[in-house]
Amino acid sequence: KKGEKWEARGRVVTRNLKNGSTLTGPALDYFRVVKGVRDTMEMFSTGRPRIEYTTMTPGTKPGEPYIIVADRVRLRGSERLWGGGKVTIDRSDFAAKGDSLRLDTGKGSDGTLVGGNPVMRGLGRDSFNLSGRRLDLKLDQREITYVTAKANGHAISKEWDLVADTIGLDLNNRKLDQTLAWGDSIRPYATSPAYAMRADSLALDTPGQKLKEVRGFGAAWLGGTIDSASKQR
């Protein structure tokens, strides 16, 4: 009663009645809202809890949930979440992992995945891999619309392989529309079986999940297919 806290141990299941999200795990501490003590509900869970984080907005049907698993998690209200220790995020269109996660599906509409060489993989026909020391997420209506890999960015798709200091992926309706890359210590360099391109910054346009145009800005260089004799482009 002193801390206005509920403690649950052993096969814990809890459901958020506002948005339908659920948490299951071995342990949960629930800090309820009390006037003069705490203005926002908070929950802490350890022992690798599993969260079905529903993307529902008021007046709409629940979207496909993000399945989040971590060694430990903290939730504040219905829109902010932190996870630590071997974090994984899965949904039908993507899978991501890292050591620490911050996610704000409310006013902030953003998130960050750091530590443990964070990686995000786009699944399905428009598959891709994106990695870096840090992945920043932007959301719109709780859907991921932009992902930025910072420091040692590396992106791979079916048609190209790209390295750069920073790489940004623009997603539209869960499909990759455009890739931007820039940096100084690692100048953007894109390769494919048919070409290679290097520049101070690069833009790869992929509307309809097909590579349409590659643009290089600032000291741009373009090479064609590799010559069989010289092994050079």
Side-chain angles (χ1 to χ4, degrees):
K1 182 65 176 176
K2 183 179 180 181
E4 295 295 349
K5 179 177 71 170
W6 290 87
E7 295 181 0
R9 301 291 185 267
R11 292 181 293 179
V12 180
V13 179
T14 183
R15 181 171 183 266
N16 187 313
L17 299 181
K18 290 184 178 180
N19 60 24
S21 296
T22 62
L23 181 150
T24 58
L28 175 71
D29 292 346
Y30 176 90
F31 295 82
R32 71 188 189 96
V33 175
V34 179
K35 185 176 181 181
V37 177
R38 190 175 301 108
D39 61 1
T40 305
M41 172 274 291
E42 291 191 58
M43 293 194 295
F44 296 86
S45 184
T46 58
R48 290 198 68 75
R50 181 182 188 272
I51 299 173
E52 292 191 14
Y53 201 67
T54 304
T55 57
M56 183 176 70
T57 53
T60 63
K61 294 182 179 179
E64 182 183 0
Y66 298 98
I67 306 301
I68 301 173
V69 180
D71 289 349
R72 56 198 175 277
V73 296
R74 174 194 175 200
L75 296 97
R76 181 171 171 81
S78 300
E79 299 173 335
R80 284 178 287 176
L81 178 149
W82 294 263
K86 299 178 181 178
V87 181
T88 61
I89 313 170
D90 292 283
R91 203 170 64 172
S92 63
D93 57 322
F94 81 95
K97 65 178 182 178
D99 193 59
S100 298
L101 168 69
R102 177 192 63 82
L103 185 63
D104 183 350
T105 59
K107 292 182 179 180
S109 292
D110 65 352
T112 303
L113 196 61
V114 297
N117 299 313
V119 177
M120 179 176 178
R121 295 187 297 116
L123 306 177
R125 191 161 61 93
D126 190 30
S127 62
F128 64 85
N129 267 40
L130 179 66
S131 61
R133 293 183 184 175
R134 169 180 174 140
L135 300 183
D136 287 337
L137 315 175
K138 289 185 179 180
L139 299 91
D140 184 16
Q141 299 298 319
R142 303 193 178 190
E143 288 286 338
I144 296 176
T145 58
Y146 201 88
V147 185
T148 306
K150 297 181 177 179
N152 295 325
H154 188 190
I156 302 174
S157 77
K158 293 179 180 179
E159 298 182 290
W160 45 262
D161 188 318
L162 173 65
V163 295
D165 274 348
T166 306
I167 299 175
L169 304 185
D170 191 358
L171 306 173
N172 184 18
N173 292 324
R174 302 189 181 186
K175 297 178 181 179
L176 180 59
D177 261 3
Q178 187 182 64
T179 302
L180 304 176
W182 62 96
D184 295 323
S185 60
I186 304 177
R187 292 184 70 225
Y189 184 50
T191 60
S192 79
Y195 72 90
M197 192 170 189
R198 189 190 303 276
D200 292 342
S201 59
L202 289 176
L204 297 88
D205 298 329
T206 52
Q209 300 179 326
K210 293 183 179 180
L211 182 62
K212 180 180 180 181
E213 184 176 11
V214 182
R215 289 167 285 138
F217 304 90
W221 170 89
L222 176 68
T225 56
I226 297 175
D227 182 76
S228 59
S230 67
K231 305 301 180 182
Q232 295 181 351
R233 294 189 183 274

